[in-house]
Amino acid sequence: MSQTQPAITRRTLLALAASASAVGILPNAATATSATPGITPFKYTATDEQLADLHRRVVAARLPDEENVADDSQGVRLGTIKKLAKHWKSHDWRKIETRLNSFPQFITDIDGLDIHFIHVKSKHENALPIVITHGWPGSVIEQLKIIKPLTDPTAFSGTEADAFHVVIPSLPGYGFSGKPRETGWNPPRIAKAWAVLMERLGYTKYVAQGGDWGNAVTELMAVQEPQGLIGIHTNMAATVPADIAKLLSSGAPAPADLSADEKGAYEQLDDFYKNGLGYAIEMNNRPQTLYGIVDSPIGLASWMLDHDIRSYRMIARSIDGEKEGLTPDDVLDNITLYWLTNTAISSARLYWDNAHHPSGGFFDPRGIKIPVAVSAFPDEIYQAPQSWAEKAYPNLIHYNRLPKGGHFAAWEQPELFTAELRASFKSLRDQI
């Protein structure tokens, strides 16, 4: 089944899926949810014309003058973009497309919107179901490296007792999910949709995981306490105490009585609030204005690279040829997905929706009562201190400070991330 645009009608999807099954090109569907009412098998194949147009635009890109500073204080450096553009000319989208299509993918309507998701069931009978949510500027591509280690642990230095059934949805307006035509698709609403999804898949006991927007969605699932959710894991925890948040908002220096870990977190957050929020301010207020990143792949790439300074610098080093958590191909796989699905602005509207339908501060504790596990990576926007995590999550069942890794933890450090999920939920497995 070849599909060039994800936003097509339910009737068309059903017809295409039936046709695909008839000719046997969906071999993985039977192992997951193809027989479940309201769930349609899905594959995506970009057209040759789409890829040719992308490459033409990359070659024809008009670039700005070089920055007039000797560092990245003005944003993504011209040299970095030139090297990325050169690599893009030889980037093979078909490789990641084939990899995506090797996993069972599906579409289901929830609350009037088509939701795309990957669903891979473990061969191990007592596997723990988990729903994993990406963020911006990410996609389901972030989690591809952890699917097999989670579902087939005995092949990846684990035991049968470490197995998970894995569900990875695309956020509304992202990737292959539908683009909301109404406002209000904010994290609380998405959290409710994910609970519907897990129930629809037949999971009566499950856990949830997320970072970035995925953390907001996952934590709000925990606040809502849907029947079946027994615990969550976060790699970008919301733990900042109210008094600390107030000081940060005023631009005050770190209080003298903070521990070393707390002081480090304070300084990371202070730097992010002062220097790293440009993209979020624009998307919070005027996402529809970003026509340039819909029309120019190079514009889109620069916008997506400039998320947080440590991720940007890691990616820039990778583009320069250094061995890092992400490769240039990793980065271009994700940017190309945004380009092909035309989701630069539809994904940005999540910021607007959250700002106009507030669900709490991004790093403010939410009063979660169910079990929570925290993995604190050093190059995240901030490395949550254990002292703050213990206050934010009264039922903290796991905390670990990792030696390396940043904002895209599952993508950058899949082995560490897999080990964290195994350890985080070990104590909850007797509940399934």
Side-chain angles (χ1 to χ4, degrees):
M1 174 170 64
S2 177
Q3 192 168 313
T4 60
Q5 295 294 336
I8 62 176
T9 66
R10 167 73 44 206
R11 181 177 298 175
T12 303
L13 271 173
L14 288 170
L16 287 169
S19 175
S21 295
V23 297
I25 63 173
L26 291 171
N28 293 317
T31 66
T33 51
S34 59
T36 306
I39 295 178
T40 306
F42 177 89
K43 283 184 68 174
Y44 176 82
T45 303
T47 66
D48 291 340
E49 290 76 13
Q50 285 177 302
L51 297 176
D53 177 65
L54 167 61
H55 292 147
R56 177 186 62 78
R57 290 170 183 262
V58 170
V59 170
R62 185 172 71 165
L63 300 175
D65 298 332
E66 188 175 22
E67 61 275 3
N68 55 14
V69 294
D71 55 27
D72 53 24
S73 59
Q74 292 184 348
V76 178
R77 303 191 72 175
L78 181 61
T80 298
I81 284 296
K82 283 184 173 179
K83 291 175 184 176
L84 187 66
K86 182 178 180 181
H87 191 86
W88 213 338
K89 295 171 188 176
S90 60
H91 173 255
D92 184 2
W93 164 257
R94 297 298 186 199
K95 184 176 180 181
I96 188 64
E97 181 180 86
T98 299
R99 190 174 176 196
L100 270 168
N101 288 333
S102 73
F103 296 111
Q105 298 175 79
F106 304 90
I107 296 283
T108 191
D109 181 290
I110 300 177
D111 197 11
L113 189 72
D114 279 352
I115 298 297
H116 163 265
F117 63 99
I118 296 170
H119 183 202
V120 184
K121 299 194 73 171
S122 174
K123 64 183 178 182
H124 300 296
E125 182 179 352
N126 294 321
L128 175 63
I130 184 170
V131 55
I132 304 175
T133 310
H134 66 84
W136 186 93
S139 66
V140 296
I141 286 175
E142 279 187 68
Q143 284 84 29
L144 295 186
K145 295 176 185 177
I146 63 172
I147 293 175
K148 289 183 179 179
L150 292 178
T151 57
D152 190 13
T154 56
F156 293 88
S157 305
T159 68
E160 183 176 337
D162 295 319
F164 291 86
H165 299 309
V166 174
V167 179
I168 308 174
S170 294
L171 288 166
Y174 288 67
F176 306 119
S177 280
K179 301 174 183 178
R181 300 311 306 154
E182 61 180 2
T183 63
W185 272 99
N186 59 354
R189 186 172 178 181
I190 298 169
K192 292 177 181 177
W194 279 197
V196 171
L197 175 62
M198 295 304 280
E199 181 180 7
R200 189 170 295 175
L201 294 175
Y203 293 129
T204 57
K205 299 287 184 182
Y206 61 92
V207 295
Q209 194 287 324
D212 194 85
W213 282 120
N215 174 70
V217 170
T218 299
E219 290 207 3
L220 285 161
M221 289 183 74
V223 170
Q224 294 166 5
E225 296 187 32
Q227 185 176 4
L229 181 64
I230 61 176
I232 68 168
H233 171 273
T234 174
N235 56 286
M236 198 184 82
T239 69
V240 180
D243 58 331
I244 297 296
K246 186 176 181 180
L247 288 171
L248 283 164
S249 66
S250 70
D257 61 348
L258 295 183
S259 70
D261 289 349
E262 292 168 346
K263 185 173 186 294
Y266 190 99
E267 291 173 348
Q268 286 178 314
L269 285 164
D270 186 52
D271 180 58
F272 181 68
Y273 288 148
K274 289 177 179 177
N275 303 307
L277 277 174
Y279 70 92
I281 292 170
E282 180 67 19
M283 293 194 291
N284 277 346
N285 292 282
R286 310 285 287 180
Q288 194 66 26
T289 296
L290 296 169
Y291 291 91
I293 65 175
V294 173
D295 188 58
S296 166
I298 294 298
L300 177 64
S302 64
W303 185 258
M304 292 174 67
L305 290 188
D306 204 17
H307 175 268
D308 68 277
I309 192 61
R310 284 177 289 279
S311 291
Y312 162 68
R313 288 174 178 166
M314 179 269 293
I315 291 170
R317 291 192 300 270
S318 175
I319 293 169
D320 282 338
E322 297 183 34
K323 186 175 181 180
E324 293 287 345
L326 298 180
T327 68
D329 277 335
D330 286 331
V331 174
L332 288 173
D333 289 344
N334 187 55
I335 297 171
T336 303
L337 176 64
Y338 273 73
W339 177 263
L340 292 172
T341 55
N342 193 16
T343 48
I345 283 180
S346 60
S347 63
R349 293 193 192 113
L350 178 54
Y351 286 80
W352 190 96
D353 262 312
N354 187 64
H356 288 76
H357 304 85
S359 57
F362 221 71
F363 300 120
D364 296 341
R366 295 181 168 93
I368 297 170
K369 298 176 183 177
I370 70 171
V372 178
V374 174
S375 298
F377 288 85
D379 290 325
E380 182 52 271
I381 290 174
Y382 84 108
Q383 188 173 27
Q386 185 168 355
S387 57
W388 293 0
E390 289 171 344
K391 293 176 183 176
Y393 310 118
N395 198 352
L396 185 68
I397 58 171
H398 173 86
Y399 175 90
N400 191 24
R401 290 174 70 86
L402 283 301
K404 57 184 176 180
H407 187 70
F408 305 101
W411 204 15
E412 297 172 45
Q413 303 295 335
E415 292 183 6
L416 287 177
F417 194 87
T418 297
E420 282 296 289
L421 290 190
R422 291 173 180 174
S424 293
F425 295 122
K426 190 174 293 291
S427 65
L428 301 182
R429 286 183 176 271
D430 59 359
Q431 296 186 36
I432 62 174

